[in-house]
Amino acid sequence: MAKARAIPARACPVAAFQKMISGKYKLRIIWDLKDGPRRYGEIRSGLLRGIEGSAEITPRVLSRELKALTMSGLIDRKDFGEVPPKVEYRLTRKGKSFVPVVAAIREWGERHLGEPVLTEAAE
């Protein structure tokens, strides 16, 4: 009698996607890199643009987010091997294919999150 082979369970694509982009800054980093390569300091200052009352992103958190995006294949890190260190980050092909998704999220947010919320007293 032949044994039945176990079929590996496929991961849910939505859960895998959510895990890949989880984190406070990943989508914003990808959006900032859509215009071309950026250095660490440029990415950091871009994340602080337009945020009122926001705490500054710590170097440790930004480094962790950049490393995770690199590990997921969305961005590429290029070290120029210079002193002082010069490192650039750019979107990979996979990362560039993700930009329209971020644009759609941004567009949805502009349409639906800028609306005033009605309270029970206002109804």
Side-chain angles (χ1 to χ4, degrees), residues 11-30:
C12 171
V14 174
F17 172 81
Q18 185 178 17
K19 184 177 180 182
M20 181 182 72
I21 61 149
S22 67
K24 189 173 180 180
Y25 301 100
K26 288 180 184 154
L27 292 177
R28 292 173 51 201
I29 291 168
I30 290 167

Side-chain angles (χ1 to χ4, degrees), residues 98-115:
F98 187 58
V99 169
V101 176
V102 180
I105 292 168
R106 186 173 192 264
E107 191 176 299
W108 185 91
E110 287 174 346
R111 264 189 312 213
H112 298 286
L113 300 178
E115 300 171 1

Side-chain angles (χ1 to χ4, degrees), residues 27-42:
L27 292 177
R28 292 173 51 201
I29 291 168
I30 290 167
W31 186 252
D32 207 27
L33 290 175
K34 76 181 180 349
D35 298 323
R38 299 261 192 265
R39 293 182 65 183
Y40 179 92
E42 294 171 321

Side-chain angles (χ1 to χ4, degrees), residues 63-81:
S63 294
R64 187 177 63 220
E65 296 281 73
L66 291 168
K67 185 176 183 178
L69 287 167
T70 302
M71 298 286 288
S72 68
L74 293 172
I75 67 171
D76 184 43
R77 180 182 188 274
K78 182 177 181 185
D79 188 340
F80 289 85

Side-chain angles (χ1 to χ4, degrees), residues 41-55:
E42 294 171 321
I43 294 170
R44 186 166 187 256
S45 64
L47 291 174
L48 300 175
R49 229 181 5 245
I51 304 297
E52 294 179 27
S54 173

